[in-house]
């Protein structure tokens, strides 16, 4: 079957990354790009693409079957709606929209036109996430009861539209959406309560960091944290299970898991001096009490994003990223904003 003919809308950081790094040539053919910036148009032309001079020109091009929308967050809704009305399928970058009201409008047009609308929640394929998801399922450290998922940088908010509320800036919408998508995709239970604490250390009108505290109906608890002022960072993942603890330090996947041996002859830990006091509780467990193991391999049992999009369009496959899942994440983001503003623990409906 033939490759899907695409136009890429927004040939900036992510749009060009799609074109040059992640769009597979067998399934996706990029006919051209459209960007409102003359500079980006010139770069695209240099790379040998056809450069559309208006969005209308893209929409009127009968050869274009689908568009990738990789523009600032506030423009996703209008661009997506116009594309679907012009008979194009849409891949939209995350966060899908500024709020659930906007997403409702997008979904109504997807329904009305019958076009496919899929959101690029690519971090469901991150190797670190797949390891944690494997541990969640294989119960090597028992049932998870506390999950800490963090991304921490020290470079502040990147110097672009991400500083501005009107464009959907801020770290919850930027990185929070990825971490929450992973967590809700993995955890097999509805969110029960939400608390949040935002950081505005850099003086921007949008959050430069956020910590969200979630509880789930099954009793699991999550700390989700995004930071841009962390000159010393914490581990990417720290997970406590009923039978052990796992850590993934960084994107390089360094980490380990430690489980109790349940050996019958375990010697009680000897008290240690801690600070100016003595403790048995915080002493390291005796050698035979625990074992340290390498992290398991994590594999996605679902197809790659673009393979899946291709199969949705050409072979009527089920999308891996479902719009109702994306909706739930956006709703959770709204509740996190509200919980942060009110400084209250809110129930998630
Ligand atoms: P960017 O600023 O690098 O690029 C955006 C481009 O869109 C710019 O070249 C700009 O000129 C162009 N543009 C703005 N409005 C436009 C319009 N109406 N029509 C056509 N072009 C327009 O931003 P970015 O970092 O590439 O982010 C773009 C989108 O991709 C955002 O939604 C962002 O959240 C998302 N993103 C996703 C990931 C991921 O891992 N999934 C990573 C980075 C960014």
């Amino acid at each position: 079957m033939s490759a899907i003919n695409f136009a890429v809308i927004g040939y900036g950081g992510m749009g060009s990354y799609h074109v040059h790094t992640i769009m597979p040539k067998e399934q996706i053919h990029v006919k051209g790009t459209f960007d409102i910036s003359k500079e980006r148009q010139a770069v695209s032309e240099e790379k040998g693409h056809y450069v559309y001079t208006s969005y209308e020109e893209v929409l009127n091009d009968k050869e274009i079957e689908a568009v990738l929308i990789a523009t600032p967050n506030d423009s996703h809704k209008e661009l997506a709606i116009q594309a679907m009305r012009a008979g194009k399928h849409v891949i939209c970058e995350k966060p899908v929209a500024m709020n659930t009201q906007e997403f409702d409008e997008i979904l109504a047009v997807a329904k009305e036109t019958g076009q496919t609308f899929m959101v690029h929640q690519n971090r469901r394929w991150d190797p670190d996430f797949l390891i944690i998801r494997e541990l969640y399922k294989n119960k090597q450290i028992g049932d998870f009861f506390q999950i800490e998922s963090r991304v921490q940088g020290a470079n502040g908010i990147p110097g672009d539209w991400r500083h501005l509320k009107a464009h959907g800036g801020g770290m919850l919408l930027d990185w929070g959406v990825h971490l929450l998508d992973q967590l809700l995709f993995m955890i097999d239970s509805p969110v029960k309560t939400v608390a949040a604490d935002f950081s505005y250390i850099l003086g921007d009108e949008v959050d430069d960091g956020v910590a969200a505290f979630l509880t789930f109906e099954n009793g699991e608890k999550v700390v989700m944290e995004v930071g841009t002022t962390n000159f010393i960072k914490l581990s990417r993942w720290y997970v406590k299970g009923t039978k052990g603890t796992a850590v993934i330090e960084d994107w390089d996947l360094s980490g380990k898991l430690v489980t109790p041996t349940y050996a019958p002859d375990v010697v009680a830990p000897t008290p240690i001096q801690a600070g100016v006091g003595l403790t048995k509780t915080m002493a390291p467990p005796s050698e035979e009490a625990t074992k340290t193991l390498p992290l398991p391999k994590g594999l996605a049992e679902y197809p790659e994003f673009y393979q899946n999009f291709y199969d949705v369009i050409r072979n009527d496959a089920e999308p891996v990223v479902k719009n109702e899942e994306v909706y739930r994440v956006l709703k959770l983001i709204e509740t996190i904003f509200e919980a942060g503003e009110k400084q209250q623990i809110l129930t998630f409906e």
Side-chain angles (χ1 to χ4, degrees):
M1 259 181 253
S2 59
I4 300 171
N5 230 359
F6 257 79
V8 171
I9 313 306
Y11 186 69
M14 199 53 186
S16 54
Y17 182 70
H18 274 266
V19 175
H20 301 293
T21 311
I22 52 179
M23 282 174 153
K25 299 231 171 353
E26 315 76 60
Q27 287 113 357
I28 306 296
H29 172 251
V30 178
K31 179 174 176 193
T33 66
F34 171 61
D35 197 298
I36 52 170
S37 143
K38 292 266 178 281
E39 237 170 73
R40 295 308 300 167
Q41 287 185 6
V43 175
S44 184
E45 199 161 14
E46 248 170 59
K47 297 272 182 197
H49 302 123
Y50 177 75
V51 173
Y52 292 91
T53 51
S54 70
Y55 195 40
E56 231 183 356
E57 192 193 345
V58 176
L59 300 181
N60 289 332
D61 185 343
K62 296 268 178 303
E63 280 180 21
I64 295 299
E65 288 177 81
V67 296
L68 163 73
I69 297 174
T71 56
N73 305 334
D74 58 314
S75 55
H76 293 178
K77 183 193 89 173
E78 266 318 308
L79 293 169
I81 286 178
Q82 286 181 43
M84 288 189 285
R85 290 236 157 97
K88 320 290 184 204
H89 302 295
V90 173
I91 292 179
C92 184
E93 261 305 342
K94 50 49 60 175
V96 59
M98 304 281 276
N99 48 51
T100 50
Q101 222 175 326
E102 283 198 358
F103 195 21
D104 276 331
E105 290 179 50
I106 293 175
L107 291 175
V109 176
K111 196 167 170 204
E112 164 200 317
T113 59
Q115 297 303 123
T116 293
F117 179 86
M118 220 166 122
V119 182
H120 189 235
Q121 290 298 161
N122 50 326
R123 293 194 176 277
R124 292 186 185 186
W125 286 265
D126 274 3
D128 58 287
F129 166 65
L130 292 172
I131 291 172
I132 295 296
R133 189 165 174 269
E134 171 60 23
L135 274 177
Y136 189 87
K137 289 188 297 178
N138 76 14
K139 297 191 190 292
Q140 226 182 327
I141 58 166
D143 289 316
F144 286 14
F145 62 89
Q146 186 172 327
I147 304 166
E148 299 184 19
S149 171
R150 293 189 171 83
V151 287
Q152 297 180 325
N155 305 312
I157 302 173
D160 52 21
W161 53 267
R162 284 174 173 80
H163 287 267
L164 302 172
K165 227 180 195 161
H167 288 306
M171 284 300 117
L172 177 56
L173 281 170
D174 195 43
W175 263 98
V177 67
H178 281 305
L179 304 195
L180 294 168
D181 181 68
Q182 291 178 334
L183 291 160
L184 295 203
F185 185 57
M186 175 176 75
I187 296 171
D188 196 14
S189 177
V191 177
K192 197 168 139 193
T193 65
V194 177
D197 187 29
F198 285 86
S199 147
Y200 294 91
I201 298 295
L202 300 173
D204 284 277
E205 61 178 13
V206 295
D207 61 290
D208 52 58
V210 57
F213 308 91
L214 313 176
T215 66
F216 290 73
E217 304 256 335
N218 65 1
E220 286 169 22
K221 291 182 183 161
V222 158
V223 179
M224 187 279 317
E225 202 178 342
V226 181
T228 57
T229 57
N230 299 76
F231 293 91
I232 298 171
K233 57 183 191 174
L234 297 172
S235 309
R236 169 71 187 87
W237 294 92
Y238 177 79
V239 178
K240 292 200 286 185
T242 48
K243 291 180 187 158
T245 308
V247 68
I248 301 183
E249 298 296 349
D250 217 329
W251 312 111
D252 66 0
L253 309 184
S254 54
K256 62 184 174 188
L257 59 94
V258 178
T259 59
T261 57
Y262 303 108
D265 49 351
V266 166
V267 183
T270 343
I272 55 160
Q273 171 125 21
V276 293
L278 200 63
T279 178
K280 233 181 340 196
T281 322
M282 298 305 159
S286 58
E287 219 168 86
E288 49 315 332
T290 60
K291 57 181 182 222
T292 300
L293 298 167
L295 294 163
K297 296 256 174 298
L299 289 175
E301 75 281 8
Y302 36 93
E304 291 295 331
F305 182 85
Y306 272 109
Q307 175 67 55
N308 179 235
F309 182 77
Y310 179 86
D311 285 335
V312 170
I313 302 298
R314 293 277 189 261
N315 303 319
D316 226 6
E318 273 282 292
V320 170
V321 180
K322 298 185 174 43
N323 286 328
E324 52 273 27
E325 296 165 345
V326 176
Y327 195 92
R328 205 155 56 110
V329 170
L330 199 54
K331 181 109 189 132
L332 181 56
I333 286 177
E334 286 177 342
T335 311
I336 291 172
F337 274 126
E338 192 187 340
E341 260 161 42
K342 293 185 173 158
Q343 284 293 289
Q344 281 174 8
I345 299 174
L346 302 179
T347 308
F348 187 64
E349 312 273 318

